[in-house]
Amino acid sequence: MSSPPWSPTRERHGHYEELAQVDEYGTIRPASFADDLSDQASDDALVHHDDSSGWAQTPAWNICLNAAMYCAVPLSMPATLAAGGWFWGTVFFAYTTAATYWTGLVIGRVYLEHPRLATYPAMASEAFHNLALERTADARVARHWRTWSRRAVKITQFVTFYLDTVTQMIYVAQYFAQLDLGWFGTTGRDEGEIQSDSPAGHARLCQWAWVLVVWAVSVPVMQIPTFHASRWVIVPAVAVLAIAVALFLYEVVAVVKPWSCHPGPSFGGVTWRSAMVSLGNFAYAWGGHGVFPESLREMREPHRWPSVMRWMYAGLVPVYVVCSIVGYAGYGQFAQANINLNFPKNWVNGVSITLQLLQCYYLIFYTNVVLVLMVETRWGIDPTKTWHPRVSLPVIGSTSPAVARLLFRTAFLGTQVALAEWFITSASEDVILDLQALTGSVGMAAMTFFIPSALAWGLLPRNQLSDGDTRWCVVNLVGGAFIALTGVITATMDLASDGGDGGRCELRYTYAPNDPGDPCFVSGISGAGGHPAPTLGEL
């Protein structure tokens, strides 16, 4: 995109416009910083769509790639399917795919019907206002619904992006730990193409220390004020994702071939808690709807939104299906959300880890910009300025915009680091899978399933709603509430029971096949790294 959909400034012909306040619809209006900064001024909203304004310049292909990249988590799909098993995993995947395709189309229809509603909070608040007015015929009650629904959606967006960033931090910390223990740790390891963890080798840093490293390396990139010209970033980002998927398939099918190992993959072990974690992760896998209205705002031709949805799902659905089936068929219930933990120490895995580390590192910035700009614009910190004009911050007092950003963003990252520290040293079997389920259930279930149904019912003319639309509204209202409730409960139970014991320094098993649950634990991979049972003579 030419600039972030949530940015309070817009890049027009290479220059940024001064910060401007916006009304509840997301329409920029002239204002000073002395204006009211209540919820009526949506700090993450944009100007309404106007092809002549110069704002809507992003082509459909760019919007499609950005939307796909925000959703795409193909390498965690084997673990997601494993948590639900073949039957429930297939049911959840089929439902979430069909439901989210429909809700994505609904958001596009709502935007074309109401182009002034240029952000998700603006859409949601107007929909709930209309529904309340229709039901109560009381304008005062309807206004309250508009205000509180806008606040609720903003809080939902904030919590969702916050938890998503914590998840990316844990991914990066685990990748660092794998590279440290597997490639750069102390001596005493076996040599060869395929190697496993050696008792003689130890990582130089504990997991909790790697989280601090992630904090340190994220602070500089977080000083970038905002996005612009992201079309130059998205193509290589998609290429990196495609390479990672290709390396995954090569590793499983050509190198490891776990179905030919001993003892081989095991299946089953699905519980109601794991099934709900699976459902939450499928919601996470289609969780880009929260920025669809802002993406539409940037489209040069918003009427082409159905094509964006078709191409995005045509690309992601086959990739998800292939990765899910290949990964789960190969590893069974041992499949990890960080699938690189399932692979041996070879150059393919090293390249894959490095590429995904860089991708997750960028996502820490990508998701956090949404959050910090919400706060900074409230405080009057102009993201386009460096040294002037000076701003006044609580406790600190008067300072420059650059220093204000440095202090605030460093501290903000620190709060996420503290939460990541709590989880990364836990006894959880797969803390990343639980965190993704929580993130998907907290916000993505609402913005992807529940709220779009309210948008359809509250903002589209009733004569434009088919019988199928009506049925989908009901199904997704119920389904979204169910995903949110059960996903939050089960993921929180897992994280609360597992988190914060602080007892583990290193990853339990960094590379295959050293974990006893590994399908190749006994036989090894191509005869290397196995743990055959001792004979009677050896006993």
Side-chain angles (χ1 to χ4, degrees):
M1 299 182 188
S2 58
S3 55
W6 44 80
S7 174
T9 59
R10 316 300 305 146
E11 181 192 24
R12 185 178 184 182
H13 308 307
H15 299 285
Y16 283 101
E17 188 180 65
E18 294 292 332
L19 284 172
Q21 297 301 316
V22 290
D23 63 19
E24 72 248 47
Y25 300 110
T27 304
I28 284 185
R29 59 178 173 78
S32 67
F33 286 119
D35 271 358
D36 176 29
L37 294 179
S38 68
D39 281 296
Q40 295 297 332
S42 179
D43 54 348
D44 60 342
L46 308 179
V47 296
H48 65 276
H49 197 100
D50 180 0
D51 288 337
S52 65
S53 68
W55 309 128
Q57 295 295 323
T58 310
W61 67 265
N62 191 182
I63 294 290
C64 181
L65 292 181
N66 270 289
M69 276 301 299
Y70 186 77
C71 293
V73 285
L75 300 190
S76 69
M77 295 308 289
T80 300
L81 181 58
W86 285 117
F87 177 76
W88 288 112
T90 302
V91 170
F92 294 157
F93 178 74
Y95 164 66
T96 55
T97 301
T100 57
Y101 183 75
W102 178 81
T103 55
L105 290 175
V106 162
I107 292 173
R109 290 166 61 185
V110 168
Y111 181 83
L112 292 176
E113 188 73 26
H114 304 276
R116 286 189 52 136
L117 302 178
T119 71
Y120 209 103
M123 277 190 182
S125 62
E126 196 66 16
F128 283 108
H129 168 271
N130 292 350
L131 292 172
L133 186 62
E134 176 185 346
R135 184 169 182 81
T136 66
D138 189 325
R140 182 180 61 83
V141 172
R143 285 195 299 269
H144 282 305
W145 271 94
R146 172 186 284 155
T147 298
W148 286 104
S149 62
R150 182 186 300 111
R151 291 175 180 172
V153 171
K154 286 184 179 181
I155 292 171
T156 299
Q157 285 182 316
F158 191 95
V159 174
T160 301
F161 290 128
Y162 188 93
L163 290 175
D164 197 19
T165 304
V166 173
T167 304
Q168 302 306 323
M169 285 181 167
I170 293 179
Y171 266 119
V172 173
Q174 284 196 0
Y175 291 145
F176 275 140
Q178 280 188 275
L179 292 175
D180 180 30
L181 183 59
W183 299 87
F184 306 114
T186 58
T187 59
R189 305 188 180 280
D190 299 328
E191 299 295 332
E193 179 66 11
I194 295 178
Q195 300 176 16
S196 59
D197 300 344
S198 167
H202 299 283
R204 292 174 295 180
L205 291 179
C206 288
Q207 291 187 82
W208 65 264
W210 279 120
V211 175
L212 297 180
V213 172
V214 174
W215 186 15
V217 299
S218 299
V219 167
V221 73
M222 279 302 299
Q223 302 317 303
I224 300 173
T226 184
F227 288 114
H228 61 85
S230 71
R231 62 186 177 275
W232 306 115
V233 177
I234 191 61
V235 173
V238 170
V240 166
L241 181 65
I243 294 171
V245 170
L247 294 176
F248 158 78
L249 295 174
Y250 174 79
E251 195 80 84
V252 177
V253 176
V255 177
V256 181
K257 294 175 281 192
W259 43 77
S260 63
C261 288
H262 184 69
S266 61
F267 302 92
V270 177
T271 65
W272 74 272
R273 280 173 60 171
S274 71
M276 293 305 99
V277 167
S278 174
L279 181 57
N281 271 272
F282 279 120
Y284 181 88
W286 297 114
H289 293 49
V291 294
F292 280 1
E294 292 86 345
S295 298
L296 280 154
R297 181 26 248 142
E298 292 212 351
M299 283 189 72
R300 183 184 300 157
E301 300 171 299
H303 64 274
R304 296 187 60 191
W305 181 254
S307 296
V308 170
M309 291 295 298
R310 282 195 297 271
W311 280 108
M312 184 178 83
Y313 275 68
L316 285 180
V317 170
V319 172
Y320 278 0
V321 169
V322 170
C323 289
S324 299
I325 293 175
V326 171
Y328 185 43
Y331 290 101
Q333 62 185 3
F334 183 66
Q336 306 292 307
N338 173 8
I339 196 67
N340 296 86
L341 291 171
N342 288 106
F343 299 154
K345 188 177 82 72
N346 56 15
W347 70 268
V348 177
N349 200 10
V351 171
S352 176
I353 290 171
T354 303
L355 291 176
Q356 291 176 82
L357 188 155
L358 295 174
Q359 188 177 28
C360 290
Y361 176 61
Y362 173 73
L363 287 175
I364 292 173
F365 164 69
Y366 187 91
T367 52
N368 259 352
V369 164
V370 182
L371 309 182
V372 296
L373 283 176
M374 286 182 184
V375 178
E376 290 172 354
T377 53
R378 288 283 185 175
W379 288 351
I381 302 173
D382 190 333
T384 69
K385 304 300 182 184
T386 304
W387 305 114
H388 298 286
R390 297 181 69 82
V391 296
S392 180
L393 297 181
V395 180
I396 299 170
S398 178
T399 186
S400 66
V403 173
R405 278 193 297 272
L406 173 64
L407 296 176
F408 169 66
R409 295 188 181 192
T410 301
F412 187 83
L413 278 169
T415 65
Q416 294 169 319
V417 165
L419 190 57
E421 292 282 19
W422 174 264
F423 293 129
I424 199 167
T425 56
S426 76
S428 175
E429 287 297 316
D430 199 335
V431 66
I432 290 177
L433 197 69
D434 287 334
L435 269 176
Q436 288 183 170
L438 181 62
T439 305
S441 302
V442 166
M444 294 175 180
M447 293 185 288
T448 306
F449 296 87
F450 182 87
I451 297 178
S453 297
L455 297 181
W457 204 248
L459 293 175
L460 291 178
R462 296 294 165 84
N463 59 9
Q464 291 185 16
L465 295 177
S466 65
D467 291 340
D469 289 330
T470 303
R471 284 192 290 269
W472 270 120
C473 283
V474 175
V475 169
N476 283 338
L477 282 170
V478 176
F482 179 78
I483 293 171
L485 179 63
T486 59
V488 168
I489 291 174
T490 55
T492 301
M493 287 172 65
D494 284 351
L495 292 170
S497 62
D498 295 333
D501 72 351
R504 182 178 302 132
C505 173
E506 300 179 8
L507 291 166
R508 287 184 304 175
Y509 298 99
T510 311
Y511 294 99
N514 252 23
D515 192 315
D518 195 296
C520 300
F521 179 73
V522 175
S523 63
I525 300 171
S526 300
H531 303 76
T535 65
L536 289 177
E538 293 173 327
L539 292 174

